[in-house]
Amino acid sequence: MKFLVSTAFFFLKILPVPVYYFIANGFFYITYYIIRYRRDVVYQNIIRSFPDFDETKVRKTEKEFYRHLSDYFVESGAIVRFGKKSFRKRFKYLNGELLDQYLNEGNNLLILTAHYGNWEWLCTLPMITSYPAFSLYKPQTNRFVEEAMIRIREKYGMHLLSYPGLYKEIISSPKGKPLSVLMVADQRPPWDDKAQWIEFLNQPITFFRGLENIARTMKGVAVFAKIVKVKRGHYTVAFIPLMDNREKNGIGPSLTERYFKELEKSIAAEPAYYLWTHKRWKFTKPVE
């Protein structure tokens, strides 16, 4: 495994960018036409999320999704090749100054994103802020995969933290020295009989209750990172305020609701760029 990871990094660094997308084209053909990777899951997720789509629209969205998924995989690997200059052209932060505005006021900052567009490229956040930036992640069981993931995601100064380590970092952070935390918040939590439910894309889902716990612990500001795919290999990011520590009801279910509403807007605008292979609606809400 170590040899494979090292070899992959070597070729990712030397391959010209056009070759990346040649590989992506091949990957699309294999996943969509040959192995048909989770096509039944993708089809059902789309048709249930958009009941007004006819069969032609569903199939078109499905195919566009697999093309984007192929781009996402090669672009995530391209992090080891691209420098800051390349990312400034390809991943533009439209209002990045908003982050330091909140942080300069002494607020901790919770940045919520989702499996949409190319969320991996948000590892470049430290390029636009002078404050410590952390990202919540799930440790991998394979040591070499873990090392490779950390190497990619921490290239530009992002610090990866597991869930328990995040609380320790927040609590131990010196007063007057705020920090920002990036979180992919549309993860499906494990099944829990006491699960809380919310409507998302016309279907009930359970949500990650740790989101409210983190926001409550941080006592800061939460924003949604809205990613828009402009064209192949080019994205924009806009930060949309969700809540701040001056709101009496800014955390709890209201933060979760605001987050999913903003995510729904992004998906409705360009549904092909959401991660439809994710079994987000695996659980069924019990009948009361």
Side-chain angles (χ1 to χ4, degrees), residues 28-266:
F28 159 72
Y29 187 87
I30 293 170
T31 55
Y32 187 75
Y33 289 108
I34 299 178
I35 65 174
R36 300 174 64 87
Y37 174 66
R38 291 195 175 184
R39 278 188 57 175
D40 55 336
V41 174
V42 172
Y43 179 83
Q44 289 299 323
N45 280 344
I46 295 174
I47 202 169
R48 290 172 181 171
S49 299
F50 299 98
D52 57 326
F53 280 13
D54 59 22
E55 182 69 10
T56 301
K57 180 69 172 176
V58 172
R59 291 300 184 184
K60 182 175 183 291
T61 302
E62 176 190 66
K63 196 170 185 179
E64 289 176 350
F65 160 71
Y66 279 95
R67 289 191 182 281
H68 169 70
L69 182 65
S70 301
D71 286 354
Y72 161 77
F73 279 126
V74 298
E75 288 170 358
S76 297
I79 294 173
V80 301
R81 184 188 192 283
F82 290 162
K84 292 182 178 180
K85 186 177 180 180
S86 293
F87 270 119
R88 288 192 178 99
K89 292 180 179 179
R90 294 175 172 274
F91 203 67
K92 296 182 179 180
Y93 294 95
L94 302 182
N95 60 340
E97 68 281 354
L98 182 65
L99 305 189
D100 271 2
Q101 178 182 322
Y102 286 132
L103 292 162
N104 286 336
E105 294 171 356
N107 298 294
N108 286 326
L109 181 62
L110 179 60
I111 303 169
L112 302 178
T113 188
H115 294 94
Y116 186 89
N118 192 327
W119 61 93
E120 289 290 346
W121 281 8
L122 284 170
C123 68
T124 59
L125 273 171
M127 289 170 49
I128 63 167
T129 177
S130 55
Y131 291 84
F134 298 87
S135 179
L136 191 65
Y137 88 110
K138 182 179 180 180
Q140 303 297 302
T141 54
N142 186 289
R143 181 169 62 89
F144 298 117
V145 173
E146 170 91 353
E147 291 175 356
M149 182 177 66
I150 292 175
R151 181 178 173 183
I152 290 174
R153 294 181 178 178
E154 291 192 341
K155 180 179 178 181
Y156 293 98
M158 183 72 78
H159 304 286
L160 299 190
L161 290 173
S162 60
Y163 192 66
L166 177 61
Y167 282 100
K168 182 178 179 181
E169 190 68 40
I170 294 170
I171 295 170
S172 64
S173 180
K175 190 174 182 180
K177 292 187 177 181
L179 51 82
S180 61
V181 174
L182 173 66
M183 179 178 175
V184 181
D186 64 332
Q187 301 276 10
R188 187 194 73 229
W191 173 250
D192 184 347
D193 290 338
K194 298 179 181 179
Q196 293 177 276
W197 296 81
I198 193 172
E199 284 291 315
F200 176 54
L201 293 175
N202 301 302
Q203 302 160 81
I205 60 166
T206 56
F207 58 84
F208 182 59
R209 284 182 290 175
L211 171 60
E212 288 82 20
N213 295 333
I214 292 172
R216 196 173 289 114
T217 303
M218 292 185 69
K219 299 178 182 178
V221 179
V223 298
F224 176 70
K226 180 180 179 180
I227 302 174
V228 174
K229 187 171 185 177
V230 179
K231 61 181 180 179
R232 207 174 200 186
H234 293 264
Y235 301 82
T236 62
V237 184
F239 297 105
I240 301 173
L242 294 177
M243 72 88 177
D244 65 52
N245 55 9
R246 292 166 290 185
E247 295 184 49
K248 293 181 180 179
N249 298 314
I251 57 177
S254 62
L255 173 58
T256 302
E257 291 167 0
R258 294 178 194 186
Y259 164 74
F260 278 109
K261 287 297 181 185
E262 288 298 334
L263 178 53
E264 278 187 331
K265 292 177 185 177
S266 293

